[in-house]
Amino acid sequence: MTAAPPDPITAAPAGTPPLLAVESVDVTLGRGWRANRVLSGVDLDVWPGEIVGLVGETGSGKTTLARTVVGLVNPKRGRILLEGLPISALRRGARRAERRRGHVQLVFQDPLRSLDPDLTVAGIVAEGLRIRGQTDRDEIRRRVTSALEQPGLDATVLGRTPGQISGGQRQRVSIARALAVEPRLLICDEPVSALDASTRNYVLRLLDQLRTSLGLAIVVISHDLSSLAGIADRVVVLYRGRIVEDGPVDRVFTTPRHPYTALLMASAPSVRHDRPFSPRQLRRTDSDPAPPAGPGACVFAARCPFAAAVCAVQPPLTAVGERWSVACRRHEEWAALAQSATRQEGPTHAR
């Protein structure tokens, strides 16, 4: 993949190569007749200091992509590079050594299940340091305290177990555990889905501060588009294991170029106060022509009201702007068709 200068909002200087490069990755889970392709031809770059939102409905492959990047799932095809090192090709001792470096950290969706219930907060945050070979107790104590301070926790929680602290505190402990080993890339899987509104906003602001203060690259997996609108630089939209749109969050949320992205937007009225389309205008009806069928057709064709004969072949990601690409053969046409339908029915406003 070619290196491109990040947007000015990110911390990386122009011409900097991506910290993370996912290149043409396919992932298949299961064997034999149970085999199921979960990711197909995924390409993704993430730069230092950048926050990338990864969105899509349940089953689109978001969590599988995260697990593949951290090495919990092996790609069937393609490769993953971290700072130019093909980490997906590492095996046995080399892979264990790379993991001990702690340069990629995953914050799981459910902190109550991902934190050891029998360990104290101090033990949980220190665990990664010990795995890396740190033995000096004073240094471990200093690093643990520092890691807890970054997400706004103090020493009063050190001796408590996960069951003795609140949900928001548990999520911040998960973040502190990841930060203790000084990662370069932080992947957060639905980090605020189980939190109340005030705690959710705090965690989102925290992630925004961390990418600035530490130069972290952060990938945030989320169903909630509104939670990404205020912090993400880019948004990547996954549908059935394929990236269908990747671009600057403000432009994608304002003028989506893929009909599936527009459908997600129309179904999430909290992202914008007024919507150009209603969900009904972006869904197929019985009166629409039959969509192209077959294994090679566009992955969204069966649900797309704008599908035509040209959609019988899966489109590649095509550049439609600076650091903005879309996988739709009718990306210049469908919006006009939808706008025409909108003018006939009148604009739909969020309620």
Side-chain angles (χ1 to χ4, degrees):
M1 304 181 74
T2 58
D7 287 343
I9 192 171
T10 65
T16 301
L19 174 73
L20 172 71
V22 179
E23 299 181 348
S24 304
V25 163
D26 291 352
V27 171
T28 299
L29 300 180
R31 296 181 179 179
W33 65 273
R34 294 178 181 270
N36 179 37
R37 179 175 287 188
V38 183
L39 296 176
S40 299
V42 172
D43 291 294
L44 175 65
D45 290 338
V46 183
W47 277 265
E50 183 179 41
I51 296 182
V52 175
L54 194 58
V55 303
E57 60 194 42
T58 300
S60 59
K62 303 183 301 297
T63 298
T64 299
L65 178 55
R67 291 169 63 86
T68 304
V69 169
V70 300
L72 297 177
V73 175
N74 291 321
K76 184 176 182 179
R77 189 176 75 87
R79 61 178 188 165
I80 297 169
L81 296 91
L82 184 70
E83 298 180 311
L85 175 68
I87 57 175
S88 58
L90 300 177
R91 294 293 182 267
R92 299 181 179 177
R95 171 167 287 195
R96 287 193 295 271
E98 173 59 28
R99 285 176 174 171
R100 280 196 293 268
R101 293 170 64 197
H103 285 179
V104 181
Q105 291 292 304
L106 175 60
V107 176
F108 292 91
Q109 180 175 355
D110 186 351
L112 189 58
R113 295 177 60 186
S114 63
L115 301 177
D116 191 323
D118 296 325
L119 287 180
T120 63
V121 168
I124 289 169
V125 178
E127 189 173 22
L129 296 171
R130 294 193 174 97
I131 290 173
R132 293 184 70 182
Q134 181 63 253
T135 59
D136 187 292
R137 291 186 178 183
D138 291 336
E139 177 63 14
I140 290 175
R141 188 179 300 110
R142 185 192 68 79
R143 295 275 292 274
V144 167
T145 302
S146 175
L148 288 170
E149 288 175 349
Q150 291 181 72
L153 295 171
D154 56 36
T156 59
V157 301
L158 284 171
R160 300 178 188 175
T161 62
Q164 296 173 327
I165 56 179
S166 69
Q169 288 176 318
R170 284 194 290 268
Q171 190 62 281
R172 284 184 279 167
V173 168
S174 295
I175 294 173
R177 175 176 63 178
L179 295 178
V181 295
E182 300 177 343
R184 300 297 312 281
L185 173 66
L186 185 64
I187 303 176
C188 301
D189 189 358
E190 298 282 1
V192 296
S193 61
L195 304 180
D196 60 74
S198 61
T199 307
R200 179 168 62 248
N201 291 335
Y202 179 91
V203 171
L204 291 173
R205 288 196 304 270
L206 169 65
L207 294 176
D208 195 22
Q209 293 166 3
L210 290 174
R211 65 93 168 262
T212 302
S213 61
L214 303 179
L216 281 175
I218 302 177
V219 176
V220 179
I221 299 171
S222 181
H223 285 93
D224 182 7
L225 302 187
S226 63
S227 68
L228 298 175
I231 66 166
D233 303 308
R234 285 168 45 221
V235 61
V236 175
V237 184
L238 270 171
Y239 179 73
R240 292 182 61 184
R242 288 185 179 272
I243 292 178
V244 296
E245 188 159 4
D246 177 355
V249 67
D250 54 345
R251 282 174 266 176
V252 171
F253 280 6
T254 302
T255 54
R257 302 299 295 273
H258 196 283
Y260 176 63
T261 308
L263 180 59
L264 288 179
M265 295 291 300
S267 303
S270 58
V271 177
R272 297 184 62 200
H273 293 297
D274 60 323
R275 295 172 290 165
F277 318 120
S278 70
R280 181 167 57 86
Q281 292 167 319
L282 297 166
R283 291 184 176 129
R284 290 189 58 81
T285 65
D286 293 338
S287 62
D288 290 324
C298 171
V299 69
F300 190 60
R303 291 177 59 184
C304 182
F306 315 109
V310 69
C311 305
V313 178
Q314 172 64 41
L317 278 170
T318 302
V320 295
E322 184 179 359
R323 300 190 70 204
W324 190 358
S325 56
V326 62
C328 178
R329 296 194 182 276
R330 305 196 73 191
H331 66 85
E332 295 181 345
E333 306 169 45
W334 75 262
L337 296 173
Q339 289 286 2
S340 176
T342 301
R343 285 193 294 270
Q344 295 172 7
E345 299 181 14
T348 301
H349 297 279
R351 301 183 184 276

